Amino acid sequence: MTNNATMHEHDVIVVGGGGAGLRAAIAAEEEGADVAIVTKLHPVRSHTGAAEGGINAALRDGDDPKDHAYDTMKGSDYLGDAPAIETLCETSPEETIQLEHWGMPFSREEDGRVSQRPFGGLSFPRTTYAGAETGHHLLHTMYEQVVKRGVTVYDEFYVMDLAVTDHPDPDERECHGCIAYNIKSGDLVGFKADGVILATGGDGQAFDHTTNAVANTGDGLAMAYRAGVPVEDPEFVQFHPTTLPSTGVLISEGVRGEGGILYNSEGERFLFERGYANNDGELASRDVVARAELTEVSEGRGVNDEYVDLDMRHLGEERIVDRLENILHLAEDFEGVDGLEEPMPVKPGQHYHMGGIETDENGETCVSGLYAAGECACVSVHGSNRLGGNALPELIVFGARAGYDAAGRDLGEARIDTGPGARSETETDLDTPVSPGALDGAEPDAVADGGALATNAEAVVEDELRRQRERVETLLERDGINHAEIRSDLQDAMTEFVNVFREKEGLQQALEAIRDCRERYQNVAVADPSRTFNTDLLHTIETRNLIDVAETITLGALARDEFRGAHWRKEHQERKDDEWLKHTMISWNGGDPEVFYTDVILEGEEKTYEPKIRSY
Ligand SMILES: Cc1cc2nc3c(=O)[nH]c(=O)nc-3n(C[C@H](O)[C@H](O)[C@H](O)COP(=O)(O)OP(=O)(O)OC[C@H]3O[C@@H](n4cnc5c(N)ncnc54)[C@H](O)[C@@H]3O)c2cc1C
């Protein structure tokens, strides 16, 4: 470790201290690397702490990782890559047991075995949990390991951008570190490293009604995108069927896993009675349940024309308090509803981004030295729809792999090819303009696009540090508009037009609104002149990232003329495997986004997954 006031040096830098970042840091440390976590929040305040329901792992007799892989591929609507899915399902049991050995307090059966419960889209009750606070315990368990191993944690450091060489071909670029704003002191510092792992979590703040925290602003995704890494399958956003209507706070799928029932205003158990999911009912996959709820509301059978009811009273107080106590508090605190006495109001809300930074099974991107893991990444295990309980195993499985690989362990050659060089031979005719001229009129100082001209690692970081300093000074010193109105307009457009039900005209309106936000952002300024704890400055920079992320989501959604998983299109209500069995990739391309496609890998180790009609 080398430190001076403006430059820190480590072998591996992990950006983010949530589940993926902590697991990556532990792995890199185990491999003997000098590793540091750089994070805008203290690790245990990361959004992983909000995860309620559990971790999918084939642990029990009668279960099999192969069945978990099949369920995951089916859940993905055949857009997941088999090498990634099989790695996830085969490794999840050992990673879950590792957590148990580190002291994670999993819920247990009377006979002492770790409890597992059913979750949507699973053929076996394989969701392992710690009450309804699984994520909280997962974070604390891994943070203890980080402290024990002496990993350096720079908390309240906001990473603004990556330090990457400037080569016309992203496949030839190298990442040498990143630049962070020290929130406590107001100083900008460079971090030089051989490997940088982005583990910055989700981007739910691109939407208005979301289960995500205010810190989930897609920073890492936007940084990697601008550095030349394609954003994979951005159009696939998960809307969770059970969020509280007034706040978007999540009511875990664990409620339905334990036997909770959904009713419409006519008292019908509509998932069965109206034929949406004749076999699995409430435990159908999330995209199916969310569409069913909104159909009920739009056809006049919603409660108060807005939501449906989730009833768990029949489970009895003892079971509810034992397994779902946290849910009682959330319903009471945010909706004033006593879940022991009355049903809870629920409606779909943005929850998870299946798309993300394109990586291979070892967490590597096409830019040398740059890795990604967790929700910001797309490896891809979730394809077009994530199964509940499959994100937490993704954090620990692929967080660990990224950490090991970045620290030099040989994990074998990846089967998934990345970068513009992996482009599929089959071209798609797009009837949508995908080149919005993103940088027209942009002021480079305020947006900090492009890579560094130097090639020497230290000079690359120093160049980027200088650019980010200028950027901050410009934002603090000039007069202009506040970011808040821009962010709010962006969220409104995304929530109205890029939601569960999508149609071409609405998506085009969203794209126009996003371009308008981008244009207005060129005149953005920070009103608060203070150097320390300047949240106005941070939120302004985050808003820029949200604009970039929202644009990729909308471009991907406009281009994909089919209905697959969480992406439903009014004009195209069928899955089109002949044309669309492929991953969307969006490249920054100097601010003029380019859309291309890569092949989905359905060939697994022992079998090829044949796309079938997906019913529950
Ligand atoms: C309410 C809720 C409940 C869920 N329940 C479940 C569940 O039961 N089971 C399941 O499998 N999945 C669940 N999920 C999904 C899952 O919890 C998340 O996908 C996962 O926790 C994300 O982890 P992460 O490590 O990728 O990101 P996070 O935990 O969000 O961590 C991101 C980290 O990055 C840091 N960061 C971000 N930007 C910057 C920046 N610019 N500079 C420095 N640091 C930065 C943050 O400080 C933070 O430490 C749930 C999601 C939500 C919202």
Side-chain angles (χ1 to χ4, degrees):
M1 172 167 69
T2 312
N3 284 332
N4 63 43
T6 56
M7 187 74 80
H8 300 288
E9 191 175 336
H10 297 272
D11 298 336
V12 176
I13 292 288
V14 181
V15 183
L22 293 175
R23 187 64 190 91
I26 295 167
E29 191 276 341
E30 241 177 84
E31 203 55 30
D34 163 24
V35 54
I37 296 173
V38 184
T39 173
K40 66 181 179 182
L41 303 175
H42 186 277
V44 299
R45 296 192 61 224
S46 302
H47 203 53
T48 294
E52 298 167 3
I55 307 172
N56 294 338
L59 293 169
R60 290 265 174 101
D61 284 348
D63 198 5
D64 192 319
K66 291 189 180 68
D67 295 338
H68 185 187
Y70 176 79
D71 294 343
T72 302
M73 183 60 94
K74 177 181 168 188
S76 82
D77 220 352
Y78 302 92
L79 205 75
D81 284 327
I85 289 179
E86 292 183 346
T87 302
L88 174 87
C89 301
E90 276 155 23
T91 321
S92 174
E94 72 198 56
E95 280 291 331
T96 306
I97 290 167
Q98 174 67 81
L99 284 173
E100 207 265 347
H101 289 178
W102 283 336
M104 176 138 167
F106 284 112
S107 296
R108 289 181 185 275
E109 301 298 305
E110 303 240 312
D111 62 7
R113 286 181 308 163
V114 165
S115 299
Q116 295 200 294
R117 62 181 160 213
F119 246 47
L122 296 182
S123 56
F124 192 91
R126 67 171 71 90
T127 307
T128 315
Y129 58 95
E133 302 91 34
T134 310
H136 170 85
H137 293 299
L138 181 129
L139 273 186
H140 282 262
T141 302
M142 290 203 287
Y143 184 59
E144 279 174 16
Q145 289 298 315
V146 160
V147 173
K148 179 179 159 195
R149 290 158 193 263
V151 171
T152 310
V153 179
Y154 298 90
D155 70 311
E156 298 198 316
F157 276 71
Y158 179 90
V159 174
M160 299 189 48
D161 231 326
L162 299 165
V164 175
T165 53
D166 187 26
H167 190 284
D169 179 359
D171 286 338
E172 300 296 324
R173 290 181 195 161
E174 291 165 10
C175 179
H176 293 298
C178 60
I179 311 303
Y181 174 82
N182 180 339
I183 301 172
K184 285 168 270 195
S185 70
D187 296 327
L188 274 144
V189 285
F191 286 91
K192 181 171 162 292
D194 299 331
V196 174
I197 303 173
L198 292 169
T200 51
D203 48 39
Q205 288 302 318
F207 293 80
D208 180 32
H209 188 83
T210 175
T211 61
N212 282 201
V214 284
N216 288 15
T217 50
D219 297 344
L221 175 51
M223 283 183 241
Y225 175 47
R226 292 193 297 264
V229 181
V231 181
E232 179 169 356
D233 293 331
E235 63 270 36
F236 296 107
V237 177
Q238 178 160 85
F239 295 86
H240 195 291
T242 57
T243 73
L244 295 176
S246 54
T247 52
V249 165
L250 180 78
I251 295 299
S252 168
E253 188 163 315
V255 174
R256 283 171 289 137
E258 294 293 341
I261 295 175
L262 288 165
Y263 293 106
N264 63 17
S265 63
E266 295 178 10
E268 291 170 329
R269 195 174 176 181
F270 56 91
L271 280 149
F272 288 109
E273 291 183 47
R274 299 245 163 214
Y276 297 104
N278 292 326
N279 294 322
D280 294 346
E282 283 82 5
L283 285 178
S285 188
R286 287 178 178 173
D287 56 325
V288 174
V289 181
R291 276 190 296 272
E293 288 178 2
L294 289 182
T295 305
E296 289 300 292
V297 173
S298 71
E299 292 182 358
R301 295 183 297 276
V303 182
N304 291 330
D305 284 335
E306 192 193 355
Y307 52 84
V308 297
D309 279 336
L310 176 59
D311 199 347
M312 61 176 182
R313 289 173 294 181
H314 55 286
L315 302 179
E317 183 169 350
E318 195 183 332
R319 183 155 164 206
I320 293 172
V321 171
D322 181 38
R323 298 184 177 187
L324 299 164
E325 188 182 357
N326 187 34
I327 303 303
L328 289 176
H329 299 309
L330 295 176
E332 179 71 48
D333 293 348
F334 292 100
E335 268 335 298
V337 166
D338 179 354
L340 292 175
E341 299 292 333
E342 51 197 326
M344 299 172 285
V346 290
K347 72 175 197 182
Q350 192 285 347
H351 181 60
Y352 184 87
H353 198 175
M354 273 74 75
I357 302 165
E358 186 206 26
T359 72
D360 64 23
E361 315 89 286
N362 300 334
E364 260 195 297
T365 73
C366 65
V367 170
S368 167
L370 182 62
Y371 294 75
E375 187 168 341
C376 69
C378 181
V379 48
S380 123
V381 285
H382 310 302
S384 64
N385 173 65
R386 173 174 76 84
L387 294 184
N390 259 357
L392 296 182
E394 180 190 13
L395 306 184
I396 50 181
V397 169
F398 292 102
R401 291 180 76 83
Y404 289 131
D405 198 288
R409 185 186 289 188
D410 183 4
L411 297 178
E413 201 178 329
R415 279 186 59 204
I416 298 172
D417 221 2
T418 58
R423 153 186 329 247
S424 152
E425 313 249 301
T426 0
E427 282 306 324
T428 301
D429 281 337
L430 300 172
D431 68 344
T432 303
V434 290
S435 169
L439 285 185
D440 289 351
E443 293 177 34
D445 284 350
V447 295
D449 296 299
L453 293 177
T455 47
N456 161 286
E458 192 149 332
V460 170
V461 181
E462 275 167 2
D463 265 13
E464 192 56 44
L465 182 57
R466 202 164 29 248
R467 281 151 52 84
Q468 295 300 331
R469 278 215 181 97
E470 285 167 12
R471 179 188 187 194
V472 167
E473 291 310 315
T474 306
L475 287 170
L476 287 174
E477 284 169 14
R478 74 180 181 188
D479 292 328
I481 54 175
N482 188 273
H483 77 94
E485 201 179 304
I486 300 174
R487 186 187 285 212
S488 161
D489 289 349
L490 183 87
Q491 292 171 332
D492 287 349
M494 293 299 285
T495 305
E496 181 169 0
F497 300 120
V498 199
N499 212 300
V500 173
F501 293 124
R502 300 167 171 182
E503 57 184 296
K504 184 173 177 181
E505 205 182 307
L507 292 169
Q508 278 169 335
Q509 282 187 54
L511 195 54
E512 272 170 38
I514 295 163
R515 288 176 192 167
D516 180 60
C517 289
R518 189 184 288 288
E519 217 171 292
R520 283 190 284 151
Y521 191 89
Q522 305 313 322
N523 297 315
V524 83
V526 176
D528 179 356
S530 53
R531 297 280 158 170
T532 58
F533 290 100
N534 190 336
T535 48
D536 190 13
L537 172 67
L538 299 183
H539 292 169
T540 302
I541 296 166
E542 288 169 347
T543 298
R544 163 69 205 285
N545 293 331
L546 287 171
I547 294 172
D548 288 345
V549 168
E551 187 169 71
T552 64
I553 295 172
T554 310
L555 286 172
L558 257 170
R560 190 173 279 271
D561 290 341
E562 68 158 351
F563 163 32
R564 184 183 296 272
H567 173 70
W568 183 93
R569 280 285 301 267
K570 188 175 177 194
E571 313 83 358
H572 307 277
Q573 297 186 26
E574 58 185 315
R575 195 176 80 193
K576 299 177 187 168
D577 287 339
D578 288 348
E579 210 185 331
W580 282 107
L581 198 54
K582 56 192 176 191
H583 295 295
T584 306
M585 298 286 164
I586 304 198
S587 268
W588 173 243
N589 192 31
D592 190 8
E594 186 201 1
V595 181
F596 64 96
Y597 294 89
T598 62
D599 296 330
V600 177
I601 307 175
L602 295 178
E603 296 82 34
E605 278 289 317
E606 287 171 24
K607 69 176 202 184
T608 295
Y609 298 82
E610 292 297 337
K612 296 193 180 126
I613 302 286
R614 195 167 145 257
S615 64
Y616 288 99

